[in-house]
Amino acid sequence: MVRYKNSARSLGLLHPNQCGSLAGLGCFDAVATLTHEVRLLQAAAFKVSTLFLDVKGGFDNVCTNKLATILARGGVSAYLVAWIKSFLSKRQCRLIFQGAPKVFCPVAVGTPQGSPISPLLFVHYIASLHPTLPQGLAISYVDDLTITVGSDMVRSKIRALQYYFGTIQRQGADLGVEFSAPKTELIHWRTPKDRSDVSFAPIVINDMLFPPSQVVRWLGYWLTPTLHSSVHFL
């Protein structure tokens, strides 16, 4: 498994800003990278905002053939691609609860829950959902994705967030991946010394209005617009 992870890195199958299910890249690394990027953009006198997204269904929506194509194009050996296709093919499941029919049903998509290789295959699958931002950064932790942008004006950064979300939404649709609306959150960052008016500008995504949050819980950390840590320990 370790050798496969190292090969995935060397082949460029993983995005540099992906964390989770990868050695040495845990929750703290993702949060630290996010806060570091926010501070860098603020130091350049930009107004900064982050959109928090969650992949709907996650592992359940991995298409075996599309994953195999991604791996083959990335330079993974034909033998290993064939093994992964075999591992994900001809699978069955049975629901266990009172009154459920005790029969197995075929499973056409998804990776098996509980398998040590499933998280790694999933991060391969969504590696392309990390756009290159000229003034910002896209960071993910397994199925939790953030888009951070900086701009001189609030309206500009809202438009940028909408544009980049539209981009990854279209890419996700090609993979059969959607984002969960109830888990979508927006935050407008501020410096502790910022005396300008607090921005309540919302973002509109798929005809839904998302106002900015004053506290966002991401990967077990509580984040405030000024990145004050006290709320995390309350």
Side-chain angles (χ1 to χ4, degrees), residues 35-186:
T35 56
H36 178 69
E37 180 65 18
V38 170
R39 291 307 191 207
L40 280 180
L41 290 168
Q42 289 177 332
F46 289 120
K47 298 182 183 299
V48 189
S49 295
T50 297
L51 188 64
F52 295 84
L53 305 167
D54 183 85
V55 177
K56 188 176 181 179
F59 296 3
D60 295 336
N61 293 314
V62 175
C63 173
T64 301
N65 290 333
K66 291 179 180 178
L67 174 62
T69 300
I70 292 171
L71 297 176
R73 288 177 177 174
V76 177
S77 66
Y79 169 79
L80 190 53
V81 173
W83 183 89
I84 292 172
K85 287 188 68 175
S86 176
F87 172 69
L88 297 178
S89 300
K90 298 181 180 179
R91 294 172 42 243
Q92 295 182 323
C93 73
R94 182 174 63 179
L95 301 179
I96 305 297
F97 59 89
Q98 187 175 4
K102 297 180 179 180
V103 295
F104 284 94
C105 298
V107 178
V109 296
T111 58
Q113 296 288 340
S115 169
I117 196 174
S118 292
L120 183 57
L121 295 178
F122 178 74
V123 294
H124 285 331
Y125 194 66
I126 66 167
S128 62
L129 304 184
H130 292 74
T132 300
L133 283 63
Q135 295 171 351
L137 197 66
I139 308 166
S140 69
Y141 182 91
V142 191
D143 57 353
D144 292 297
L145 180 69
T146 67
I147 307 173
T148 300
V149 299
S151 177
D152 296 327
M153 299 179 62
V154 173
R155 290 184 179 179
S156 298
K157 65 180 180 179
I158 292 295
R159 286 196 296 267
L161 284 173
Q162 290 174 322
Y163 170 79
Y164 289 117
F165 173 79
T167 299
I168 66 172
Q169 184 180 45
R170 289 189 294 272
Q171 293 174 333
D174 292 337
L175 298 173
V177 168
E178 298 180 353
F179 295 94
S180 175
K183 295 183 179 180
T184 300
E185 293 188 87
L186 171 70

Side-chain angles (χ1 to χ4, degrees), residues 193-214:
K193 297 181 179 180
D194 193 346
R195 296 295 180 265
S196 62
D197 293 337
V198 176
S199 174
F200 296 100
I203 188 171
V204 178
I205 293 178
N206 295 336
D207 297 325
M208 296 181 65
L209 190 70
F210 295 91
S213 302
Q214 293 307 302

Side-chain angles (χ1 to χ4, degrees), residues 9 14-19 25:
R9 281 290 186 194
L14 301 170
H15 194 277
N17 298 333
Q18 283 185 285
C19 299
L25 293 171

